[in-house]
Amino acid sequence: MARKASEKPAAKAPKTAPEKAEVKLQEAAAALTAEVKAEEKKAKAPAKRVSKPKAPKQEAPKAEKSEPKAEKPEPKAEKPEPKAEKPVKEAKPKAKKEAKPAQKKEEKTVESKPETKLEPQAAKVEQPQPAPKAEAAPAKKKILFVTSEAAPYVKTGGLGEVAAALPKALVRKGYDVRVVLPLYFNIPGEFRRTMQYLGCCYVSLAWRYQYCGVFTHMYDGVRYYFIDNEYYFKRNGLYGHYDDAERFAYFSRAVLEALPIMDFKPDIIHCNDWQTGLTPVYLDTYYRGSDFCRTSRTVFTIHNIEFQGKYGEDIIGDIVGLPGDRRSLVTYQGCANFMKGGIECANRVTTVSPTYAKEILDPYYSFGLQDILNARRYKLSGIVNGIDNERNDPATDKALFKNYDKTTVSEKYLNKTGLQQLLGLPVKPSVAMIGMVGRLTEQKGLDLIRSVFDDILAKGIQMVVLGTGDWKYESMLKDMQRKYPEKLRAIINFSSDMASKIYAAADMFLMPSKFEPCGLSQMIAMRYGTAPIVRETGGLKDTVVPYNGSTGQGNGFTFYSYNAHDMLYAIERAVGLYYDYKDDWKKLIANAMNADFSWDRISEQYVELYDRL
Ligand code: ADP
């Protein structure tokens, strides 16, 4: 699939038998009539609907691109640029002209390659969409969710989870929500093989003019679109490349350029994190004349303000490609800052918990963005994330040694003994086990743990830590495991299977974050009947209520200051309750398991937000 991406658009006009088949399927479902129109439109729009000849597979160029510094930015860069990167090298300016004559070879185009094979499967995927309660849909707003990752295609953290679960919850409520993300090389073949190619267009980026293929796929009732350009996305890993500024500036603009190919006119364009921060900027600068987004309103959600997309100011002219009077929108404290662009131009700015929305107005939490956020606080709010209760269910999770639910939580200990055996820890069903799953970074409070690690492990407990991250924390954990082989296991790895086992096996889940925009792990832990021990910051404060023995209320343990001994004291309270107050412990666990963090409930707050726009 990705191979197709960088192939040259051969300018053929598509219109195919498979498409007709799809139309038939969709006729049965009233809610999908829009798609039918989309297909028809594409057929009429040959220039976009070019099929790509099986050009010899093009390698993502390493770094051939040289970036002429002093090129003047071309807001509408129509002209082909000889320096443009490989994938684009192909056809560029000719593409549009070739498209028309090629129009007649429609069958050939659509039948070509992946589409022929994929159509039946794609149809299969689409069919089960029992027209998401389409009767009510027309009145509801149409939402395009723009994200740099989404489970199950690609996920590196909380954003990927949210980008899957929120759209799914909204679709179930009858909203027409579509998700768009880059077509990364990392997306498993099982998905790429069943995607459908919709068409292509070209995206101006300063002096560049870049190819943009558009693929689509259905999953969990949600329609996903994938922006395809092998030069930018056929690489290992999602982030951390030398040219991330260019990759995500491209993506942010390609999303808008591709709307006619998607045949989607969103009422709301919901952007997420710095990788999509330029979308509202481009929308206001270049696309307000487009029929597809003339009246679109925008939401920009900050999932973690630590990562802002900050670069040298020179990239605004050389890469972002904004006219002079618009450049200040993405300039902040002498740098280009993509997140600032999103904050400036979006109609609403949200973050992922109400407490974090307040915290980021303060320099301690804002990573320098407090000034712009305070200036724009009238449009800032926080909505706590939810979790996907279907994917995080101890009753059905296949990774567990023993499944259980609220009524059979007494059997949860079998997961502890199973994990102890698996990891070579002493098998003791009654010992208090503390679990940790997460990135091993300063944000997650590893410095606090390091300061009092010996004291924690002296508490008559076992501890299991799963994560990857900074070398200094990884080696600290390995050192401590060598020192305490009977008490500690540090698994330096990313494994969803092991994460599930730990959530289920542990009695307590430690999350002493320095800051935490929302945090999903503490909610997953509670769902698995594991008591969270957290610092009162961001979403941790909004989701964990300290247990009160006299009222029997509360679902975990908390401490306020970023202080190692305050954390140690919270651990002592938890371990004390676990060993000495069994009835209270049961109440606490019942409270944790009864807490409702479902997206079904939480998505209502997004509905209200969208409706107010
Ligand atoms: P963040 O987004 O800051 O990394 P969150 O708590 O919001 O933290 O989300 C982290 C998600 O990633 C959780 O679902 C957690 O279980 C999962 N996760 C983190 N590290 C690992 C790991 N090493 N292996 C498996 N899952 C992990």
Side-chain angles (χ1 to χ4, degrees), residues 523-545:
M523 292 188 268
I524 300 172
M526 285 188 261
R527 176 120 172 97
Y528 282 69
T530 303
I533 304 172
V534 305
R535 186 168 102 77
E536 290 173 24
T537 180
L540 297 177
K541 184 174 180 196
D542 294 335
T543 53
V544 180
V545 181

Side-chain angles (χ1 to χ4, degrees), residues 149 155-162 303-304 307 352 385 387 391-392 436-441 443-444 465-469 491-500 503 509 511 513 515-524 540:
E149 55 182 270
K155 176 192 121 173
T156 67
L159 169 61
E161 293 274 347
V162 174
H303 294 259
N304 191 337
F307 309 107
V352 287
N385 281 336
I387 55 170
R391 282 169 33 138
N392 299 292
M436 276 188 80
V437 178
R439 291 180 290 118
L440 302 175
T441 61
Q443 177 196 333
K444 300 292 176 182
V465 183
L466 170 67
T468 56
I491 306 156
I492 309 303
N493 192 4
F494 191 98
S495 160
S496 301
D497 180 87
M498 182 54 75
S500 284
Y503 286 123
F509 190 86
M511 211 165 161
S513 304
F515 65 94
E516 193 61 71
C518 179
L520 300 177
S521 302
Q522 82 282 7
M523 292 188 268
I524 300 172
L540 297 177

Side-chain angles (χ1 to χ4, degrees), residues 463-481:
M463 190 161 173
V464 181
V465 183
L466 170 67
T468 56
D470 294 353
W471 178 85
K472 63 178 177 179
Y473 299 124
E474 291 184 358
S475 52
M476 179 265 289
L477 285 164
K478 285 186 214 155
D479 287 347
M480 290 301 284
Q481 176 176 284

Side-chain angles (χ1 to χ4, degrees), residues 400 404 409 412-417 419-420 429 431-437 462-465 498-510 525-526 528-532 578 585 589:
L400 304 199
Y404 57 95
V409 68
K412 173 175 154 66
Y413 81 93
L414 291 169
N415 289 290
K416 189 194 298 181
T417 50
L419 189 64
Q420 286 168 333
V431 74
M433 181 182 277
I434 300 180
M436 276 188 80
V437 178
Q462 290 180 353
M463 190 161 173
V464 181
V465 183
M498 182 54 75
S500 284
K501 287 185 164 65
I502 295 173
Y503 286 123
D507 300 293
M508 297 137 209
F509 190 86
L510 183 58
M526 285 188 261
Y528 282 69
T530 303
Y578 174 82
W585 188 262
I589 295 305

Side-chain angles (χ1 to χ4, degrees), residues 84-102:
E85 293 70 11
K86 271 232 174 115
V88 183
K89 65 191 179 281
E90 295 81 293
K92 282 179 265 172
K94 288 178 190 163
K96 287 179 183 169
K97 286 168 196 160
E98 286 173 0
K100 284 183 184 164

Side-chain angles (χ1 to χ4, degrees), residues 400-432:
L400 304 199
F401 294 102
K402 176 73 187 171
N403 290 110
Y404 57 95
D405 59 22
K406 285 180 220 171
T407 59
T408 55
V409 68
S410 57
E411 295 175 8
K412 173 175 154 66
Y413 81 93
L414 291 169
N415 289 290
K416 189 194 298 181
T417 50
L419 189 64
Q420 286 168 333
Q421 265 168 353
L422 183 72
L423 300 178
L425 284 166
V427 179
K428 295 181 183 170
S430 59
V431 74

